[in-house]
Amino acid sequence: MHQRPLSTRFSRDGSSPSRKALVFFLARSACLVIALCSLVTSCKKSAGAGTAPAASSSGSRAPAPITLLNVSYDPTRELYQDFNAVFAKYWRDKAGQEVKINQSHGGSGKQARAVIDGLEADVVTLALGYDVSALHDKGQLLAADWQSKLPNNSSPYTSTIVFVVRSGNPKHIKDWNDLVRAGVQVITANPKTGGGARWNYLAAWGYALKQPGGNDAKARAFVTKLYENVPVLDSGARGSTTTFVERGIGDVLIAWENEAMLSVNELGKGKFELIAPSMSILCEPPVAVVDKNVDKHGTRAVSEAYLTYLYSPEGQAVVVKHYYRPRDPDVLAKHKSAFADIQLFTVDELFGGWTKAQTTHFNDGGIFDHIYQPKK
Amino acid sequence: MRWKTRGVLPGFGLSLGYTLFYVGLLVVLPLSAMVIKASSLGPSELWTKVSDERALAAYRLSFGSALVGSLVNAVFGVLVAWVLVRYRFPGRGLVDALVDLPFALPTAVAGIALTTVYAEHGVLGQQLAKIGVKVAFTPLGVTMALTFIGIPFVVRTVQPVLEEIDPDVEEAAAVLGATRFQTFRRVIFPSILPATLTGFALAFARALGEYGSVVFISGNMPMRTEITPLLIVTKLEQYDYAGATAIAAVMLMASFSLLLLVNLLERWARRAEA
């Protein structure tokens, strides 16, 4: 016997289903409106905080506290958490001002677009120069010569591209040419969507180019062969790490040295090994003050001090702690044993800078697209 | 309908104004910004961007798997709704709550969970690999993810309609000599068809735009498992805003016409029922 259900989802208290649905809908709309309102006010608040007067304000009274926004990419979260504390102390002692630094992290390209679209970053600390240059090209937010404003190509720390293999290195992977062998599965992200993955691609290309008798055609053949060994192209570096570590797919993961050291030393202790190739690319994640925003907020002095302090021995010590290679020769010498001895080449040397590399290799119709174009 | 008809409920002008403002602000404004951005390209440039081989492969995958996914949901969603409405069994409330889970779960979490289960070393992936079926990193995996996120739509649209149908109606049909199949086909099916179509359309629209869960399970291989939203992201990564919006506009027009078609179908079904 069927019986009309008395207590169902929509008619628990006897009111009609449509009425309940309406109430539900209205409640949802109200939530949305409240969420929107709070978003707007919080944006206003953060903009307001940014306009607080800078340290240079007159008088002997302690200057008003100030807030900075550092827009960065994914793996630097812990680095900047540490560095922000160190810098806040330094700035308090030096200028007598409280400074709070807010952090925003995400894919490098996505973060750059957010700044272009109006996220009011005082400083950006991204994964590749191309994304910072876009702030000039697309948004006129900083000067065209931003990269010469700070020492070392505006990169206070560097890294390189290395391999992570499974414990015992069962496939005997020693160098880049082992990655194109038949039967070796290589894990790397899609260079079209992941900024970090573009360094992987260029590192492989540079290796082939620097071999005896190497030229562009040979490099292209090498890279094509390498990507034929890639079973999955995740959209970003985090995704590739998951594929390799959690899913157990692939024999070798191409990764940034700092991320590789983190996985090998902390996350997957004993399960993975770091393999340093004979040569690789010097990854130079750049930092820059966003001129237009700091002038609007009146935060230029503190923003410049923030980035410059990254180059100080204290800043460089934080950098080393998070497995990035320091620029300071003394700090580097002290930690020499921590980093593998790899012959390094730069994007400027081999590829004529990031904008050119992007156009030749990664834009639509570029070489990377041709690797996957169906053969006619 | 005349403009000046006095309805039973007051506040027509105010509520209509609010509706138009709401829809305009939240839907029309961003969409027109998109169309304007896309139209900054010349017609020939626009055409090359939206019709290259890679884009075509992505449309095929996106529309194909969204369609399959929402069809599966249309069939099984009705079944689930039926079971939830017509039978009492222990754990019914739990199943009822589980249906909403794909709504509540952040899509990336869903994608990662599905990939974990279906990858070659996953619980199900291992078994499926033995019979030669690969799910993760194939179009099948994409379809699986799109089916997953579409589950609640059909169930939640059909469920209240089924609740409204009095079981007496079915009993009456039986008394009048209808077989069980006839009862379903002639009595129940026509009443739930419009709701099923609505649910199908919602699931389909949701699946077309899905990004978060699919990028994890698809493997993102160009020409093979690249969905259209991923193509939009790759264009944005090279700051090609116009190209990205052009692809988005194609998606939008295609989905809009499909949704319109489903709406017409639904209206026809309602009329057929009445």
Side-chain angles (χ1 to χ4, degrees), chain B residues 86-107:
Chain B
R86 282 299 146 92
Y87 303 114
R88 301 292 93 146
F89 55 93
R92 195 185 68 98
L94 187 71
V95 175
D96 199 22
L98 279 178
V99 168
D100 279 332
L101 210 58
F103 261 159
L105 215 57
T107 51

Side-chain angles (χ1 to χ4, degrees), chain B residues 9-239:
Chain B
L9 291 169
F12 169 72
L14 189 67
S15 54
L16 180 71
Y18 176 74
T19 306
L20 290 181
F21 176 73
Y22 185 75
V23 173
L25 184 73
L26 290 177
V27 180
V28 181
L29 190 71
L31 288 185
S32 30
M34 188 190 82
V35 172
I36 291 166
K37 196 102 194 180
S39 60
S40 67
L41 291 168
S44 68
E45 206 187 343
L46 189 92
W47 181 247
T48 18
K49 277 206 194 286
V50 300
S51 68
D52 76 11
E53 267 180 280
R54 208 159 152 209
L56 292 180
Y59 300 145
R60 268 197 296 277
L61 179 69
S62 271
F63 283 97
S65 46
L67 189 70
V68 174
S70 35
L71 279 176
V72 170
N73 274 326
V75 175
F76 287 93
V78 169
L79 186 76
V80 172
W82 175 261
V83 169
L84 287 177
V85 171
R86 282 299 146 92
Y87 303 114
R88 301 292 93 146
F89 55 93
R92 195 185 68 98
L94 187 71
V95 175
D96 199 22
L98 279 178
V99 168
D100 279 332
L101 210 58
F103 261 159
L105 215 57
T107 51
V109 177
I112 292 172
L114 283 172
T115 317
T116 307
V117 172
Y118 288 106
E120 50 187 303
H121 299 291
V123 184
L124 280 175
Q126 250 171 356
Q127 305 305 318
L128 288 170
K130 280 182 198 151
I131 55 166
V133 180
K134 273 191 77 177
V135 180
F137 318 124
T138 66
L140 185 59
V142 178
T143 313
M144 186 76 87
L146 296 183
T147 312
F148 174 82
I149 53 145
I151 293 169
F153 292 95
V154 176
V155 180
R156 290 295 177 239
T157 46
V158 172
Q159 205 174 11
V161 179
L162 272 179
E163 275 164 9
E164 288 291 281
I165 303 176
D166 211 311
D168 294 352
V169 177
E170 290 154 43
E171 281 163 22
V175 167
L176 291 171
T179 63
R180 284 174 166 188
F181 179 71
Q182 277 172 327
T183 311
F184 177 77
R185 209 188 79 77
R186 320 275 310 229
V187 179
I188 299 163
F189 184 69
S191 352
I192 60 168
L193 182 62
T196 311
L197 282 172
T198 307
F200 167 79
L202 287 173
F204 181 75
R206 173 83 175 78
L208 267 188
E210 177 62 15
Y211 177 77
S213 63
V214 181
V215 288
F216 289 99
I217 201 168
S218 69
N220 307 317
M221 302 303 278
M223 307 299 300
R224 278 184 28 233
T225 56
E226 226 177 25
I227 52 165
T228 317
L230 183 82
L231 210 60
I232 295 174
V233 174
T234 67
K235 295 222 183 283
L236 286 177
E237 277 296 312
Q238 41 187 290
Y239 302 98

Side-chain angles (χ1 to χ4, degrees), chain A residues 35-364:
Chain A
L36 275 173
C37 291
S38 59
L39 194 71
V40 169
T41 47
S42 71
C43 283
K44 269 193 188 148
K45 250 187 236 158
S46 65
T51 52
S56 56
S57 62
S58 58
S60 56
R61 278 187 306 121
I66 199 165
T67 309
L68 290 186
L69 176 60
N70 175 4
V71 171
S72 195
Y73 66 111
D74 263 328
T76 58
R77 185 174 287 112
E78 290 76 21
L79 190 166
Y80 279 108
Q81 260 164 21
D82 280 4
F83 178 71
N84 291 345
V86 175
F87 177 75
K89 186 180 173 300
Y90 161 78
W91 191 249
R92 194 184 305 127
D93 296 345
K94 181 170 181 271
Q97 186 181 30
E98 290 298 324
V99 57
K100 180 175 187 303
I101 296 122
N102 290 325
Q103 296 170 249
S104 163
H105 296 270
S108 187
K110 195 176 127 252
Q111 294 292 81
R113 281 197 305 282
V115 175
I116 292 170
D117 293 341
L119 179 64
E120 295 196 351
D122 298 282
V123 298
V124 288
T125 53
L126 297 174
L128 62 167
Y130 176 69
D131 288 329
V132 183
S133 293
L135 299 185
H136 167 76
D137 300 339
K138 302 284 166 183
Q140 299 297 327
L141 295 170
L142 39 69
D145 63 342
W146 63 270
Q147 196 146 21
S148 57
K149 294 258 169 92
L150 288 165
N152 304 108
N153 259 340
S154 285
S155 307
Y157 42 84
T158 65
S159 191
T160 184
I161 301 299
V162 298
F163 310 144
V164 177
V165 298
R166 304 199 183 278
S167 183
N169 195 4
K171 295 266 169 133
H172 310 293
I173 286 150
K174 290 278 163 236
D175 207 350
W176 287 98
N177 50 7
D178 293 314
L179 267 49
V180 298
R181 282 203 321 247
V184 171
Q185 279 199 326
V186 181
I187 303 298
T188 178
N190 191 335
K192 304 229 9 160
T193 47
R198 275 172 231 164
W199 291 102
N200 301 357
Y201 171 103
L202 292 180
W205 187 283
Y207 165 83
L209 201 62
K210 287 206 143 207
Q211 294 310 297
N215 56 32
D216 275 340
K218 280 185 181 161
R220 185 169 169 163
F222 182 82
V223 169
T224 304
K225 226 172 149 207
L226 193 155
Y227 278 89
E228 279 167 8
N229 279 349
V230 177
V232 180
L233 284 171
D234 284 291
S235 60
R238 275 285 148 91
S240 326
T241 310
T242 314
T243 300
F244 186 77
V245 174
E246 306 291 331
R247 316 236 180 289
I249 294 174
D251 303 306
V252 52
L253 170 75
I254 310 182
W256 282 50
E257 186 184 47
N258 59 305
E259 298 248 311
M261 286 168 85
L262 186 73
S263 323
V264 171
N265 294 343
E266 295 176 23
L267 306 176
K269 225 173 163 58
K271 290 199 308 214
F272 306 104
E273 283 176 31
L274 190 152
I275 301 290
S278 64
M279 63 172 77
S280 193
I281 199 162
L282 179 70
C283 298
E284 298 180 294
V287 301
V289 167
V290 185
D291 291 329
K292 207 171 163 186
N293 293 343
V294 293
D295 288 343
K296 185 175 163 196
H297 301 163
T299 48
R300 180 176 286 281
V302 59
S303 300
E304 282 173 354
Y306 178 71
L307 294 186
T308 313
Y309 197 63
L310 279 167
Y311 291 88
S312 72
E314 294 79 16
Q316 296 280 295
V318 175
V319 159
V320 177
K321 202 177 132 210
H322 293 278
Y323 305 117
Y324 280 95
R325 294 183 176 219
R327 285 285 201 184
D328 187 303
D330 296 337
V331 180
L332 185 62
K334 218 165 73 191
H335 295 92
K336 200 156 178 42
S337 58
F339 299 100
D341 194 15
I342 304 173
Q343 189 194 333
L344 299 171
F345 49 84
T346 67
V347 175
D348 294 341
E349 259 166 56
L350 290 194
F351 302 95
W354 259 109
T355 309
K356 188 152 172 272
Q358 175 75 25
T359 323
T360 319
H361 293 276
F362 307 118
N363 274 2
D364 282 352

